[in-house]
Amino acid sequence: MKQQLLNKFPTWYEDLTPEKNYLVLSNDYDSYYSCCLLRNKFGIEIGGFYSLKDGLYLNAEHTKGKEPIFVDLSVTRRKTFDNHFTFINNPESINPNIITDVYYRKYRLCQEKFAIWGLHEMN
């Protein structure tokens, strides 16, 4: 992973724990696969589902007293692993497209997974 890209990422991922965090997935396979990678790496469970049509669903058993980590979702605030080319300015987003200024040069196809792996390899 390019060092220039890694230097742009926030470092909150270094403190992820199942005691403090839960994952929120969307309705696509990229999100589910990324959640599986994060669960295997950090032991964090899926506690929520975000439907673009109906909003956020939470499982109180997995979320009570914990902070969400959105996965493959562009959100305006909160921590997220994302890969969408967006104009949303979220300083807590780990997104490989934050340094891409031209859409056709964007990181595609599950790139947040590679970001997750790259962060794992650095620690």
Side-chain angles (χ1 to χ4, degrees):
M1 180 168 292
K2 293 180 182 179
Q3 191 62 42
Q4 176 190 15
L5 181 60
L6 290 173
N7 291 340
K8 295 276 189 172
F9 290 161
T11 59
W12 53 257
Y13 69 90
E14 296 172 352
D15 299 319
L16 292 177
T17 68
E19 294 77 31
K20 295 187 320 185
N21 304 103
Y22 65 92
L23 304 173
V24 176
L25 78 154
S26 69
N27 65 342
D28 73 20
Y29 184 76
D30 289 351
S31 182
Y32 175 72
Y33 184 66
S34 294
C35 284
C36 290
L37 290 173
L38 290 165
R39 185 184 63 223
N40 290 338
K41 165 76 173 131
F42 298 103
I44 302 171
E45 295 295 327
I46 296 170
F49 170 74
Y50 188 82
S51 165
L52 297 175
K53 180 180 176 190
D54 299 319
L56 183 62
Y57 296 90
L58 297 176
N59 178 331
E61 185 178 313
H62 291 290
T63 62
K64 187 174 182 179
K66 297 180 183 182
E67 182 180 18
I69 305 298
F70 293 87
V71 183
D72 198 30
L73 287 160
S74 297
V75 293
T76 57
R77 61 189 193 289
R78 303 274 179 131
K79 296 174 172 90
T80 182
F81 287 101
D82 188 17
N83 71 328
H84 298 101
F85 191 81
T86 180
F87 293 102
I88 295 173
N89 184 14
N90 179 354
E92 295 187 286
S93 177
I94 293 180
N95 184 338
N97 287 307
I98 58 174
I99 62 169
T100 301
D101 56 356
V102 180
Y103 183 76
Y104 67 83
R105 288 190 212 150
K106 76 176 224 155
Y107 289 87
R108 298 186 245 294
L109 302 172
C110 311
Q111 289 300 311
E112 79 272 6
K113 271 62 89 200
F114 295 112
I116 292 166
W117 283 326
L119 296 173
H120 169 64
E121 292 300 318
M122 291 193 64
N123 291 323

Coordinates of all heavy atoms in Angstrom, one line a residue, residues 9-77:
F9 N -4.6 8.3 6.4 CA -5.7 7.7 7.2 C -5.6 8.1 8.6 O -4.5 8.3 9.2 CB -5.5 6.1 7.1 CG -5.8 5.5 5.8 CD1 -5.3 4.2 5.6 CD2 -6.6 6.1 4.9 CE1 -5.6 3.6 4.4 CE2 -6.9 5.5 3.7 CZ -6.4 4.2 3.4
P10 N -6.7 8.2 9.3 CA -6.7 8.4 10.8 C -6.2 7.1 11.4 O -6.2 6.1 10.8 CB -8.2 8.7 11.1 CG -9.0 8.2 9.9 CD -8.1 8.2 8.7
T11 N -5.9 7.2 12.6 CA -5.3 6.0 13.3 C -6.2 5.3 14.3 O -5.8 4.5 15.1 CB -4.0 6.4 14.0 OG1 -4.2 7.4 15.0 CG2 -2.9 6.9 13.0
W12 N -7.5 5.7 14.3 CA -8.4 5.1 15.3 C -8.5 3.6 15.2 O -8.8 2.9 16.2 CB -9.8 5.7 15.2 CG -10.4 5.7 13.8 CD1 -10.5 6.7 12.9 CD2 -11.1 4.5 13.2 NE1 -11.2 6.3 11.8 CE2 -11.5 5.0 11.9 CE3 -11.3 3.2 13.5 CZ2 -12.2 4.2 11.0 CZ3 -11.9 2.4 12.6 CH2 -12.4 2.9 11.4
Y13 N -8.2 3.0 14.0 CA -8.2 1.5 13.8 C -7.3 0.8 14.8 O -7.5 -0.4 15.1 CB -7.9 1.2 12.4 CG -6.5 1.4 12.0 CD1 -5.5 0.4 12.2 CD2 -6.1 2.6 11.5 CE1 -4.2 0.7 11.9 CE2 -4.8 2.9 11.2 CZ -3.8 1.9 11.4 OH -2.5 2.1 11.1
E14 N -6.3 1.5 15.3 CA -5.3 0.8 16.2 C -5.9 0.5 17.5 O -5.3 -0.4 18.2 CB -4.1 1.8 16.4 CG -3.3 2.0 15.1 CD -2.3 3.1 15.3 OE1 -2.2 3.8 16.3 OE2 -1.5 3.3 14.3
D15 N -7.0 1.1 17.8 CA -7.6 0.9 19.1 C -9.0 0.1 19.1 O -9.7 0.1 20.0 CB -7.9 2.2 19.8 CG -6.6 3.0 20.1 OD1 -5.6 2.4 20.5 OD2 -6.6 4.2 19.8
L16 N -9.2 -0.6 18.0 CA -10.5 -1.3 17.9 C -10.5 -2.5 18.8 O -9.5 -3.3 18.8 CB -10.7 -1.8 16.4 CG -10.9 -0.7 15.4 CD1 -11.0 -1.4 14.0 CD2 -12.2 0.1 15.7
T17 N -11.6 -2.7 19.5 CA -11.7 -3.9 20.4 C -13.2 -4.3 20.4 O -14.1 -3.5 20.2 CB -11.3 -3.6 21.8 OG1 -12.2 -2.7 22.4 CG2 -9.9 -3.1 21.9
P18 N -13.5 -5.6 20.6 CA -14.8 -6.0 20.7 C -15.6 -5.4 21.9 O -16.8 -5.4 22.0 CB -14.8 -7.6 20.8 CG -13.3 -7.9 20.9 CD -12.5 -6.7 20.7
E19 N -14.8 -5.0 22.9 CA -15.4 -4.4 24.1 C -15.9 -3.0 23.9 O -16.9 -2.5 24.5 CB -14.4 -4.4 25.3 CG -14.1 -5.8 25.8 CD -13.0 -6.5 24.9 OE1 -12.2 -5.8 24.3 OE2 -13.1 -7.7 24.9
K20 N -15.3 -2.3 22.9 CA -15.6 -0.9 22.7 C -16.4 -0.7 21.4 O -17.0 0.4 21.2 CB -14.3 -0.1 22.6 CG -13.6 0.0 23.9 CD -12.4 1.0 23.8 CE -11.6 1.0 22.5 NZ -10.4 1.8 22.5
N21 N -16.3 -1.6 20.4 CA -16.8 -1.3 19.1 C -17.7 -2.5 18.6 O -17.6 -3.6 19.0 CB -15.7 -1.2 18.1 CG -14.7 -0.1 18.5 OD1 -13.6 -0.4 19.0 ND2 -15.1 1.1 18.3
Y22 N -18.6 -2.1 17.6 CA -19.4 -3.0 16.8 C -19.4 -2.6 15.4 O -19.1 -1.4 15.1 CB -20.8 -3.2 17.3 CG -21.6 -2.0 17.3 CD1 -22.5 -1.8 16.1 CD2 -21.7 -1.0 18.3 CE1 -23.3 -0.6 16.1 CE2 -22.5 0.1 18.2 CZ -23.3 0.3 17.1 OH -24.0 1.4 17.0
L23 N -19.6 -3.5 14.5 CA -19.6 -3.2 13.0 C -21.1 -2.9 12.5 O -22.0 -3.6 13.0 CB -19.0 -4.3 12.2 CG -17.6 -4.7 12.7 CD1 -17.2 -6.0 11.9 CD2 -16.6 -3.6 12.4
V24 N -21.2 -2.0 11.5 CA -22.4 -1.8 10.9 C -22.2 -2.1 9.4 O -21.3 -1.4 8.8 CB -22.9 -0.3 11.0 CG1 -24.2 -0.1 10.2 CG2 -23.1 0.0 12.5
L25 N -23.0 -3.0 8.8 CA -22.8 -3.3 7.4 C -23.9 -2.8 6.6 O -25.0 -2.4 7.1 CB -22.6 -4.8 7.2 CG -23.8 -5.7 7.3 CD1 -23.6 -7.0 6.4 CD2 -24.1 -6.1 8.7
S26 N -23.7 -2.8 5.3 CA -24.8 -2.4 4.3 C -25.3 -3.6 3.6 O -24.9 -4.7 4.0 CB -24.2 -1.4 3.3 OG -23.3 -2.0 2.5
N27 N -26.0 -3.4 2.6 CA -26.7 -4.5 1.9 C -25.9 -5.1 0.7 O -26.5 -5.7 -0.2 CB -28.1 -4.1 1.4 CG -28.0 -3.0 0.4 OD1 -27.0 -2.4 0.2 ND2 -29.1 -2.9 -0.3
D28 N -24.6 -4.9 0.7 CA -23.8 -5.5 -0.4 C -22.7 -6.4 0.1 O -22.3 -6.3 1.3 CB -23.3 -4.4 -1.4 CG -22.2 -3.6 -0.9 OD1 -21.5 -4.0 0.0 OD2 -21.9 -2.5 -1.5
Y29 N -22.2 -7.2 -0.8 CA -21.3 -8.2 -0.4 C -19.9 -7.6 0.0 O -19.3 -8.2 0.9 CB -21.0 -9.2 -1.6 CG -20.1 -10.3 -1.3 CD1 -20.5 -11.3 -0.5 CD2 -18.8 -10.3 -1.7 CE1 -19.7 -12.4 -0.1 CE2 -17.9 -11.3 -1.3 CZ -18.4 -12.3 -0.5 OH -17.5 -13.3 -0.2
D30 N -19.5 -6.5 -0.6 CA -18.3 -5.8 -0.1 C -18.3 -5.5 1.3 O -17.3 -5.7 2.0 CB -18.0 -4.5 -0.9 CG -17.7 -4.7 -2.3 OD1 -17.4 -5.9 -2.7 OD2 -17.6 -3.7 -3.1
S31 N -19.4 -5.0 1.8 CA -19.6 -4.7 3.2 C -19.5 -5.9 4.1 O -18.8 -6.0 5.1 CB -20.9 -4.0 3.4 OG -21.1 -3.6 4.8
Y32 N -20.2 -7.0 3.7 CA -20.2 -8.2 4.4 C -18.8 -8.8 4.5 O -18.3 -9.2 5.6 CB -21.2 -9.2 3.8 CG -21.1 -10.6 4.5 CD1 -21.6 -10.7 5.8 CD2 -20.5 -11.7 3.9 CE1 -21.5 -12.0 6.4 CE2 -20.4 -12.9 4.5 CZ -20.9 -13.0 5.8 OH -20.8 -14.2 6.4
Y33 N -18.1 -8.9 3.4 CA -16.8 -9.4 3.3 C -15.8 -8.6 4.2 O -15.0 -9.2 4.9 CB -16.3 -9.5 1.8 CG -14.9 -10.1 1.7 CD1 -14.8 -11.5 2.0 CD2 -13.8 -9.4 1.3 CE1 -13.5 -12.1 1.8 CE2 -12.6 -10.0 1.1 CZ -12.5 -11.3 1.4 OH -11.2 -11.9 1.3
S34 N -15.9 -7.3 4.1 CA -15.0 -6.5 4.9 C -15.3 -6.7 6.4 O -14.4 -6.7 7.2 CB -15.3 -5.0 4.6 OG -14.8 -4.7 3.3
C35 N -16.6 -6.8 6.8 CA -17.0 -7.1 8.2 C -16.4 -8.5 8.6 O -15.9 -8.6 9.7 CB -18.5 -7.2 8.3 SG -19.3 -5.5 8.4
C36 N -16.3 -9.4 7.7 CA -15.7 -10.7 8.1 C -14.2 -10.6 8.3 O -13.7 -11.1 9.3 CB -16.0 -11.7 6.9 SG -17.7 -12.3 6.8
L37 N -13.5 -9.8 7.5 CA -12.1 -9.5 7.7 C -11.9 -8.8 9.0 O -11.0 -9.2 9.8 CB -11.6 -8.6 6.6 CG -11.4 -9.3 5.2 CD1 -11.0 -8.2 4.2 CD2 -10.4 -10.4 5.2
L38 N -12.7 -7.8 9.3 CA -12.5 -7.1 10.6 C -12.9 -8.0 11.8 O -12.2 -7.9 12.8 CB -13.4 -5.8 10.6 CG -12.9 -4.8 9.6 CD1 -14.0 -3.7 9.4 CD2 -11.7 -4.1 10.1
R39 N -13.9 -8.8 11.7 CA -14.2 -9.7 12.8 C -13.0 -10.7 13.0 O -12.6 -10.9 14.2 CB -15.5 -10.5 12.5 CG -15.9 -11.4 13.7 CD -17.1 -12.2 13.4 NE -16.8 -13.2 12.3 CZ -17.6 -13.4 11.3 NH1 -18.7 -12.9 11.2 NH2 -17.2 -14.3 10.3
N40 N -12.4 -11.2 12.0 CA -11.3 -12.1 12.1 C -10.1 -11.4 12.7 O -9.3 -12.0 13.5 CB -10.9 -12.8 10.8 CG -12.0 -13.8 10.3 OD1 -12.7 -14.3 11.1 ND2 -12.1 -14.0 9.0
K41 N -9.8 -10.2 12.3 CA -8.7 -9.4 12.8 C -8.8 -8.9 14.2 O -7.9 -9.1 15.0 CB -8.4 -8.3 11.8 CG -7.5 -7.2 12.3 CD -6.0 -7.6 12.3 CE -5.1 -6.4 12.7 NZ -4.2 -6.7 13.6
F42 N -10.0 -8.4 14.5 CA -10.2 -7.7 15.8 C -11.2 -8.4 16.7 O -11.3 -8.0 17.9 CB -10.6 -6.2 15.6 CG -9.7 -5.4 14.8 CD1 -9.8 -5.1 13.5 CD2 -8.5 -4.9 15.5 CE1 -8.9 -4.3 12.8 CE2 -7.6 -4.1 14.8 CZ -7.8 -3.8 13.4
G43 N -11.9 -9.3 16.2 CA -13.0 -10.0 17.1 C -14.2 -9.2 17.2 O -15.0 -9.5 18.1
I44 N -14.4 -8.2 16.4 CA -15.6 -7.3 16.5 C -16.8 -7.9 15.8 O -16.6 -8.4 14.7 CB -15.3 -5.9 16.0 CG1 -14.1 -5.3 16.7 CG2 -16.5 -5.0 16.1 CD1 -13.6 -4.0 16.1
E45 N -17.9 -7.9 16.4 CA -19.1 -8.5 15.9 C -19.9 -7.5 15.1 O -19.9 -6.3 15.4 CB -20.0 -9.1 17.0 CG -19.4 -10.2 17.7 CD -19.2 -11.5 16.8 OE1 -20.0 -11.7 15.9 OE2 -18.2 -12.2 17.0
I46 N -20.7 -7.9 14.2 CA -21.7 -7.1 13.5 C -22.9 -6.8 14.4 O -23.5 -7.7 15.0 CB -22.2 -7.8 12.2 CG1 -21.1 -8.0 11.2 CG2 -23.4 -7.0 11.6 CD1 -21.5 -8.8 10.0
G47 N -23.1 -5.6 14.7 CA -24.2 -5.2 15.6 C -25.3 -4.4 14.9 O -26.3 -4.1 15.5
G48 N -25.0 -4.0 13.6 CA -26.0 -3.1 13.0 C -26.0 -3.4 11.5 O -25.1 -3.9 10.9
F49 N -27.1 -3.0 10.9 CA -27.3 -3.0 9.4 C -27.9 -1.7 9.0 O -28.9 -1.2 9.6 CB -28.3 -4.2 9.1 CG -28.7 -4.1 7.6 CD1 -27.9 -4.6 6.6 CD2 -30.0 -3.7 7.3 CE1 -28.2 -4.5 5.3 CE2 -30.4 -3.7 6.0 CZ -29.5 -4.1 5.0
Y50 N -27.3 -1.1 8.0 CA -27.8 0.1 7.4 C -28.5 -0.1 6.1 O -27.8 -0.5 5.1 CB -26.7 1.2 7.3 CG -27.3 2.5 6.9 CD1 -27.8 3.3 7.9 CD2 -27.3 2.9 5.6 CE1 -28.3 4.6 7.6 CE2 -27.9 4.1 5.2 CZ -28.4 5.0 6.2 OH -28.9 6.2 5.9
S51 N -29.7 0.2 6.0 CA -30.5 0.0 4.8 C -30.7 1.4 4.2 O -31.1 2.4 4.9 CB -31.9 -0.5 5.1 OG -32.8 -0.3 4.0
L52 N -30.3 1.6 2.9 CA -30.4 2.9 2.3 C -31.8 3.3 2.2 O -32.2 4.5 2.1 CB -29.7 2.9 0.9 CG -28.2 2.6 0.9 CD1 -27.7 2.5 -0.5 CD2 -27.5 3.7 1.7
K53 N -32.7 2.4 2.2 CA -34.2 2.6 2.1 C -34.8 2.9 3.4 O -35.6 3.9 3.6 CB -34.9 1.5 1.4 CG -36.4 1.7 1.2 CD -37.0 0.5 0.6 CE -38.5 0.7 0.5 NZ -39.2 -0.5 0.1
D54 N -34.5 2.1 4.4 CA -35.2 2.2 5.7 C -34.4 2.7 6.9 O -34.9 2.8 8.0 CB -35.7 0.8 6.0 CG -36.7 0.3 5.0 OD1 -37.5 1.0 4.5 OD2 -36.6 -0.9 4.7
G55 N -33.1 2.9 6.7 CA -32.3 3.4 7.8 C -31.5 2.4 8.6 O -31.2 1.3 8.1
L56 N -31.2 2.7 9.8 CA -30.3 1.9 10.7 C -31.1 0.9 11.6 O -32.0 1.4 12.3 CB -29.4 2.8 11.5 CG -28.4 2.2 12.4 CD1 -27.3 1.5 11.6 CD2 -27.7 3.3 13.2
Y57 N -30.6 -0.3 11.5 CA -31.2 -1.3 12.5 C -30.0 -1.8 13.4 O -28.9 -2.0 12.9 CB -31.7 -2.6 11.7 CG -32.8 -2.3 10.8 CD1 -32.6 -1.9 9.4 CD2 -34.1 -2.4 11.2 CE1 -33.7 -1.6 8.6 CE2 -35.2 -2.2 10.4 CZ -35.0 -1.8 9.1 OH -36.0 -1.5 8.3
L58 N -30.3 -1.8 14.7 CA -29.3 -2.2 15.6 C -29.7 -3.4 16.5 O -30.9 -3.5 16.8 CB -28.9 -1.1 16.6 CG -28.3 0.2 15.9 CD1 -28.2 1.3 17.0 CD2 -27.0 -0.1 15.3
N59 N -28.8 -4.3 16.8 CA -29.0 -5.4 17.7 C -28.5 -4.9 19.1 O -27.3 -4.8 19.3 CB -28.2 -6.6 17.3 CG -28.4 -7.8 18.2 OD1 -28.6 -7.6 19.4 ND2 -28.3 -9.0 17.6
A60 N -29.4 -4.6 20.0 CA -29.0 -4.0 21.3 C -28.0 -4.9 22.1 O -27.2 -4.4 22.8 CB -30.2 -3.8 22.1
E61 N -28.1 -6.2 21.9 CA -27.2 -7.1 22.6 C -25.8 -6.9 22.2 O -24.9 -7.1 23.0 CB -27.7 -8.6 22.2 CG -26.9 -9.6 22.9 CD -27.4 -11.0 22.6 OE1 -28.6 -11.2 22.6 OE2 -26.6 -11.9 22.3
H62 N -25.5 -6.5 20.9 CA -24.1 -6.3 20.4 C -23.7 -4.9 20.5 O -22.5 -4.6 20.2 CB -24.0 -6.8 19.0 CG -24.1 -8.3 18.9 ND1 -23.2 -9.2 19.3 CD2 -25.1 -9.1 18.4 CE1 -23.5 -10.4 19.1 NE2 -24.7 -10.4 18.5
T63 N -24.6 -3.9 20.7 CA -24.2 -2.5 20.5 C -24.3 -1.7 21.8 O -23.7 -0.6 21.8 CB -25.2 -1.8 19.5 OG1 -26.5 -1.9 20.1 CG2 -25.1 -2.5 18.2
K64 N -24.9 -2.2 22.9 CA -25.0 -1.4 24.1 C -23.7 -0.9 24.6 O -22.8 -1.7 24.9 CB -25.8 -2.2 25.1 CG -26.1 -1.4 26.4 CD -27.0 -2.1 27.3 CE -27.3 -1.2 28.5 NZ -28.2 -1.9 29.5
G65 N -23.6 0.4 24.8 CA -22.4 1.0 25.3 C -21.2 1.0 24.4 O -20.0 1.3 24.9
K66 N -21.3 0.7 23.1 CA -20.2 0.6 22.2 C -20.4 1.6 21.1 O -21.4 2.1 20.8 CB -20.2 -0.9 21.6 CG -19.9 -1.9 22.6 CD -19.9 -3.3 21.9 CE -19.7 -4.4 22.9 NZ -19.6 -5.7 22.2
E67 N -19.3 1.8 20.4 CA -19.2 2.8 19.3 C -19.3 2.0 18.0 O -18.6 1.0 17.8 CB -17.9 3.6 19.4 CG -17.8 4.6 18.3 CD -16.5 5.4 18.4 OE1 -15.6 4.9 19.0 OE2 -16.4 6.5 17.8
P68 N -20.1 2.5 17.0 CA -20.1 1.8 15.7 C -18.9 2.1 14.8 O -18.4 3.2 14.9 CB -21.4 2.4 15.1 CG -21.5 3.8 15.7 CD -21.0 3.7 17.1
I69 N -18.6 1.1 14.0 CA -17.7 1.3 12.9 C -18.5 0.9 11.6 O -18.9 -0.2 11.5 CB -16.5 0.3 13.0 CG1 -15.8 0.5 14.4 CG2 -15.5 0.5 11.9 CD1 -15.2 1.8 14.6
F70 N -18.7 1.9 10.8 CA -19.4 1.7 9.6 C -18.5 1.0 8.5 O -17.3 1.4 8.4 CB -20.0 3.0 9.0 CG -21.1 3.5 9.9 CD1 -20.8 4.3 11.0 CD2 -22.4 3.2 9.7 CE1 -21.8 4.8 11.9 CE2 -23.5 3.6 10.5 CZ -23.1 4.4 11.6
V71 N -19.0 0.1 7.8 CA -18.2 -0.7 6.8 C -18.8 -0.6 5.4 O -19.9 -1.0 5.2 CB -18.0 -2.1 7.3 CG1 -17.1 -2.9 6.4 CG2 -17.5 -2.2 8.7
D72 N -18.0 0.0 4.5 CA -18.4 0.2 3.1 C -19.6 1.1 3.1 O -20.5 0.9 2.3 CB -18.7 -1.1 2.4 CG -18.7 -1.0 0.9 OD1 -17.9 -0.1 0.4 OD2 -19.4 -1.8 0.2
L73 N -19.6 2.1 3.9 CA -20.6 3.1 4.0 C -20.0 4.5 4.1 O -19.1 4.7 4.9 CB -21.6 2.9 5.2 CG -22.5 1.7 5.1 CD1 -23.0 1.3 6.5 CD2 -23.7 2.1 4.2
S74 N -20.5 5.4 3.2 CA -20.0 6.8 3.3 C -21.0 7.5 4.3 O -22.1 7.6 4.1 CB -20.1 7.5 2.0 OG -19.3 6.9 1.1
V75 N -20.4 7.9 5.5 CA -21.2 8.6 6.5 C -20.6 10.0 6.7 O -19.4 10.2 6.6 CB -21.3 7.8 7.8 CG1 -22.1 6.5 7.5 CG2 -19.9 7.4 8.3
T76 N -21.4 10.9 7.2 CA -20.9 12.3 7.4 C -20.1 12.4 8.7 O -19.2 13.3 8.8 CB -22.0 13.3 7.4 OG1 -22.9 12.9 8.5 CG2 -22.8 13.3 6.1
R77 N -20.3 11.6 9.6 CA -19.5 11.6 10.9 C -19.5 10.2 11.4 O -20.3 9.3 11.0 CB -20.0 12.6 11.9 CG -21.4 12.3 12.3 CD -21.9 13.5 13.2 NE -23.1 13.3 13.9 CZ -24.3 13.2 13.4 NH1 -24.5 13.3 12.1 NH2 -25.4 12.9 14.1

